[in-house]
Amino acid sequence: MVPQQIERDAFLDWVAQALKPRALDSQIQERVFARAMSSVEVLPSVLERQANQKEFALPIWEYLGIAASDRRIRNGRQMLRRHRDVLNRIEFAYGVEPGVITAIWGLETGYGEVRGEVPTLSALATLAFRGRRAPYFEDELIAALRLLQADDGAPEKLVGSWAGAIGHGQFMPSAVIGFAVDFDGDGRRDLCADDPTDALASIANYLHDHGWKKGQPWGFEVRLPGGFDYTLSGADQTRPSRDWAALGVIRADGGPIPDYGPGSILLPAGAGGVALLVLRNYRVITRYNRSQAYAIGVGHLSDRILGGPAFAGNWPATEPVLGQHEIGEAQNLLTCAGFDTEGVDGLRGPNTTRAVRAWQQANGAVPDGYISTDLLARLRADEANKSLDG
Ligand code: CA
């Protein structure tokens, strides 16, 4: 047999022996399951896309250059004007401002332009069968089957991103079930129609349910005082706004920090780059997508659409870029050296920032929690010396 045939047989075995019993246990009817799965196939392109996610692979400044490009800002302003009435009604109903809704819409699908053409069931089945985080995608596949069963929808009409997200706001099927709303009142929760009304209201509903605080920014750029204690930075550490102000932190424009409640100092490119004070709404955006770059991108795009300035600080743009593989290597070396990153995923998450900070403190480096090429080089050298000693 050729390899494709073996793979196809393994997939069909998985569908029959693992997926089907689980779907039936989840109250999916046998005829719904059979119809939905009849045209499902493994999509190798989906696995390739999963391995190359840009918000994780790009340095933050390049990601922000794409997320808040001149074109996306210009189009965002145009969309804000065009949909002003419906966005105002959505703000009234859900307490979420038009700027952030428009920014999420802009980042997810270019304001509805690119909603995705990948068959959702095949995408989810591929990731559940062979992808990373397979159990997560299997749950989403079951949710997609639930959606089809509830709406009596045609499986072939369910299309979206390579990761199984659908519509203007790229909701995963479980988010559709939990948070989609019928805002235009036609009796259907339609996130995929050309008219974005339901989709925009659903984004607002999602943010509202995850604790969005109306009248507050997501965060803003700050200037840190000379001699700032970098051990206080990182998303894992939160202090009241007035404490940051008392430590000498000011807004990038020189103004004082308003009392917005608790927040964290983020240094997305380390002490040599832009500093941010992020607030509660930043954390709400990370519930939409857990990547730090994404949340900063949404917040910044929202500000720019509303006329706010570009970041005033510099990025260390000449610094060589570390990929996910190298971040993973650093996590491994840190953990072996006794600074536990609580997992090796190649992402700059809060646990990794904490471990890096502790290593930097123990080794006399600026404790900004940032994995730079220098830091990776020192970790490698330490490891090599240890091997020689041993
Ligand atoms: Ca509707």
Side-chain angles (χ1 to χ4, degrees), residues 47-88:
L47 298 174
E48 282 160 28
R49 287 296 304 273
Q50 189 184 38
N52 294 299
Q53 292 181 62
K54 66 171 175 282
E55 65 261 39
F56 299 141
L58 286 177
I60 179 80
W61 51 92
E62 283 182 24
Y63 177 78
L64 290 174
I66 296 167
S69 66
D70 290 344
R71 179 169 186 270
R72 209 184 305 264
I73 294 166
R74 203 168 52 237
N75 289 348
R77 289 174 182 162
Q78 195 181 4
M79 288 299 161
L80 197 59
R81 281 195 297 275
R82 185 180 300 170
H83 299 281
R84 182 45 92 174
D85 286 350
V86 80
L87 286 165
N88 284 346

Side-chain angles (χ1 to χ4, degrees), residues 98-174:
V100 67
I101 300 169
T102 306
I104 287 178
W105 187 24
L107 260 193
E108 292 292 346
T109 59
Y111 310 103
E113 227 173 84
V114 190
R115 306 206 284 275
E117 298 291 332
V118 182
T120 302
L121 293 172
S122 289
L124 291 171
T126 298
L127 294 165
F129 174 58
R130 281 282 185 253
R132 283 173 31 225
R133 298 173 68 208
Y136 166 77
F137 288 104
E138 191 174 310
D139 288 348
E140 292 295 341
L141 179 55
I142 298 289
L145 293 169
R146 278 219 180 88
L147 272 181
L148 283 173
Q149 180 161 282
D151 296 351
D152 209 18
E156 59 277 9
K157 284 195 179 152
L158 205 56
V159 295
S161 79
W162 63 268
I166 58 174
H168 291 263
Q170 297 284 281
F171 274 33
M172 293 301 285
S174 63

Side-chain angles (χ1 to χ4, degrees), residues 166-221:
I166 58 174
H168 291 263
Q170 297 284 281
F171 274 33
M172 293 301 285
S174 63
V176 178
I177 290 172
F179 302 100
V181 293
D182 170 27
F183 199 68
D184 63 9
D186 70 350
R188 298 187 57 237
R189 307 186 298 173
D190 194 347
L191 306 189
C192 301
D194 287 337
D195 177 350
T197 301
D198 284 0
L200 297 178
S202 300
I203 293 171
N205 184 43
Y206 188 97
L207 296 178
H208 170 80
D209 268 30
H210 287 87
W212 186 264
K213 202 164 163 70
K214 190 181 165 180
Q216 275 206 359
W218 62 281
F220 46 84
E221 189 181 359

Side-chain angles (χ1 to χ4, degrees), residues 359-381:
W359 184 93
Q360 288 168 324
Q361 256 185 301
N363 288 275
V366 178
D368 60 5
Y370 184 69
I371 302 174
S372 64
T373 42
D374 276 357
L375 185 119
L376 179 58
R378 284 188 62 182
L379 289 170
R380 281 173 178 159

